[in-house]
């Protein structure tokens, strides 16, 4: 089954042709980073206008690269939640129009779950292998930071999430404080390579490290507002030279990644998960990738690292996940809504190996 995936939940307009959930025949992404950079963040209405301009050419390119026509597709999967409402409306309205005109089934896909699926796109063998499960997923993006437990029957649960900023947001805001540019994650990743991660002792919130006892209900939760404030004070009224700047950035990045890795490992151990999964835009981070690789190896766990091209927003993860619904005959009508927020009840993930064929 050839699925057209469409993504427009934030500042990337993307389209992809994916066959049977994992053969990615094309993946086209038009990024609006330059447009929003001057504002230090994504402006929803500007994003929507840009999606409107780009969506048709991006889908055209995805079809062309896959050497396919609209008639060849068997269904359409589009991100309909969570995300910026004006941005989501462009992708979903376009997808509905296509579905109606072509008389093809349409399914709305959860962007958060699509990020998780991004780590499985190149590992379809895991999806048929119950021994890979439960999978412990660390989802780290600009909008989300969560630890998700995925058993073989697909009844996934969020074990913990951020109480304030997402990890990507913490990096982007730090870059803004340091005047490094937007979005900050990739810039910080690059700059940190020449800095000393031990130069500054930034706080590791909700770990009990500062002597404050950690409430059991926050064991797998995150908080990044404290480390950001701490950075603000560390650089206040100072003129940093290049080395000092690199040291600050490396220390800040280490504080964020330490907490992510430690909590993910603790959750994997507590839930006896044989497999770890790292996904979302921040999963591009080289320190995070290497730390988790080392820890997974040491603990004898398999690690599904989403390839960088499927970490940041893309439509291959949407088309791939959408196939799991559409192949079961699960689709949405043309009245399909959009939603800004993530429903913490994730429900049943359709790609887990022991999900039976009954409606989810
Ligand atoms: O998944 P994504 O493209 O969009 C959301 O769904 O939020 O993630 C974007 C986030 C941004 O915060 C960006 O700074 C971060 O991913 N990011 C990185 C890197 N590349 C992108 N963070 C750390 N290191 C990177 N190399
Ligand atoms: Zn995303």
């Amino acid at each position: 089954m050839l699925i057209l995936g469409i993504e427009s939940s934030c500042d990337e307009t993307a389209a992809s042709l994916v066959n049977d959930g994992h053969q990615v025949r094309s993946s086209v992404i038009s990024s609006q980073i330059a447009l929003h950079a001057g504002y230090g963040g994504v402006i929803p209405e500007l994003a929507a206008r840009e999606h409107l301009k780009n969506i048709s050419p991006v889908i055209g390119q995805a079809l062309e690269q896959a050497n396919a026509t609209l008639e060849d597709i068997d269904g359409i999967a589009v991100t309909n939640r969570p995300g910026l409402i004006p941005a989501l409306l462009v992708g979903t309205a376009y997808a509905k129009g296509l579905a109606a005109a072509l008389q093809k089934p349409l399914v709305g896909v959860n962007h958060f779950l699509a990020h998780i699926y991004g780590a499985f796109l190149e590992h379809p063998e895991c999806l048929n292998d119950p021994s890979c499960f439960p999978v412990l997923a660390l989802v780290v993006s600009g909008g989300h930071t969560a630890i998700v437990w995925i058993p073989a029957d697909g009844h996934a649960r969020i074990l913990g999430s951020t109480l304030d900023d997402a990890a990507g947001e913490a990096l982007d805001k730090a870059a803004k404080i340091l005047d490094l540019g937007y979005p900050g994650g990739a810039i910080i990743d690059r700059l940190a390579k020449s800095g000393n991660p031990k130069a500054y002792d930034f706080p590791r919130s909700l770990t009990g490290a500062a002597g404050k006892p950690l409430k059991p209900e926050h064991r797998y939760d995150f908080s990044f507002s404290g480390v950001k404030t701490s950075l603000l004070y560390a650089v206040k009224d100072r003129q940093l030279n290049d080395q000092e700047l690199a040291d600050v950035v490396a220390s800040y990045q280490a504080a964020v990644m330490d907490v992510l890795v430690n909590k993910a490992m603790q959750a994997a151990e507590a839930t006896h998960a044989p497999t770890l999964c790292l996904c979302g835009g921040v999963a591009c981070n080289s320190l995070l990738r290497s730390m988790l690789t080392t820890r997974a190896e040491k603990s004898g766990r398999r690690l599904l690292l989403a390839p960088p091209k499927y970490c940041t927003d893309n439509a291959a993860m949407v088309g791939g996940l959408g196939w799991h619904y559409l192949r079961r005959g699960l689709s949405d009508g043309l009245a399909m809504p959009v939603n800004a927020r993530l429903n913490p009840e994730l429900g049943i993930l359709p790609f887990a190996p022991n999900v039976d064929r009954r409606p989810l």
Side-chain angles (χ1 to χ4, degrees):
M1 258 180 116
L2 186 64
I3 307 300
L4 168 63
I6 300 175
E7 159 63 38
S8 75
S9 66
C10 191
D11 59 347
E12 262 94 29
T13 321
S16 173
L17 272 295
V18 188
N19 199 34
D20 290 348
H22 64 93
Q23 290 158 0
V24 181
R25 286 181 44 186
S26 64
S27 177
V28 176
I29 302 167
S30 167
S31 173
Q32 306 175 5
I33 282 176
L35 177 72
H36 301 285
Y39 302 94
V42 180
I43 310 293
E45 199 203 291
L46 279 186
R49 286 168 188 252
E50 204 64 10
H51 286 309
L52 197 57
K53 210 161 70 188
N54 292 332
I55 192 156
S56 198
V58 163
I59 291 174
Q61 278 176 45
L63 287 164
E64 198 181 310
Q65 285 180 20
N67 203 13
T69 67
L70 283 175
E71 281 66 42
D72 296 329
I73 65 175
D74 300 300
I76 300 167
V78 62
T79 300
N80 73 333
R81 66 197 190 279
L84 304 171
I85 293 292
L88 287 168
L89 285 173
V90 177
T92 50
Y94 199 97
K96 287 180 183 187
L98 270 184
L102 298 168
Q103 295 286 300
K104 308 267 167 148
L106 169 75
V107 68
V109 159
N110 179 328
H111 181 84
F112 180 83
L113 298 184
H115 269 304
I116 296 178
Y117 193 72
F120 288 91
L121 268 173
E122 293 189 349
H123 295 282
E125 74 286 354
C126 233
L127 298 178
N128 298 316
D129 181 0
S131 75
C132 272
F133 288 75
V135 172
L136 202 286
L138 177 60
V139 189
V140 274
S141 70
H144 303 282
T145 295
I147 292 178
V148 184
W149 179 73
I150 309 165
D153 69 5
H155 283 82
R157 262 197 307 132
I158 296 182
L159 299 184
S161 55
T162 181
L163 304 182
D164 40 57
D165 292 345
E169 220 176 338
L171 297 171
D172 295 343
K173 286 181 177 169
K176 200 168 178 178
I177 291 169
L178 298 169
D179 212 9
L180 299 176
Y182 173 85
I187 303 169
I188 285 179
D189 192 354
R190 204 171 49 241
L191 255 183
K193 291 193 201 307
S194 46
N196 172 8
K198 295 205 167 84
Y200 293 81
D201 188 17
F202 286 119
R204 271 74 169 156
S205 299
L206 296 182
T207 60
K212 254 200 219 160
L214 174 62
K215 290 187 184 149
E217 66 266 31
H218 290 316
R219 205 165 11 151
Y220 304 127
D221 285 335
F222 302 95
S223 167
F224 294 111
S225 63
V227 68
K228 187 187 62 193
T229 308
S230 184
L231 169 74
L232 206 55
Y233 282 113
V235 300
K236 197 165 170 252
D237 302 328
R238 284 184 63 194
Q239 280 297 327
L240 301 175
N241 65 31
D242 285 354
Q243 189 55 53
E244 285 165 342
L245 179 64
D247 289 347
V248 169
V249 164
S251 304
Y252 185 86
Q253 177 183 254
V256 172
M257 302 310 161
D258 260 1
V259 182
L260 292 174
V261 170
N262 284 332
K263 294 214 176 204
M265 290 308 300
Q266 283 162 13
E269 272 149 36
T271 58
H272 306 287
T275 306
L276 283 157
C277 152
L278 179 65
C279 57
V282 180
C284 287
N285 186 268
S286 51
L287 176 67
L288 180 58
R289 292 175 88 83
S290 75
M291 281 172 80
L292 211 57
T293 302
T294 308
R295 294 284 294 272
E297 265 170 26
K298 256 197 192 149
S299 70
R301 289 187 167 80
R302 177 180 190 141
L303 175 61
L304 302 177
L305 272 180
K309 64 183 172 189
Y310 301 141
C311 284
T312 43
D313 288 349
N314 66 89
M317 64 185 191
V318 177
L321 175 57
W323 173 77
H324 290 272
Y325 297 102
L326 292 169
R327 79 180 173 110
R328 291 182 162 87
L330 298 169
S331 59
D332 288 297
L334 293 180
M336 178 183 77
V338 294
N339 254 307
R341 300 207 153 269
L342 175 70
N343 181 349
E345 296 298 326
L346 295 177
I348 303 175
L349 274 50
F351 55 83
N354 293 349
V355 177
D356 62 33
R357 285 179 173 271
R358 284 174 303 168
L360 301 179

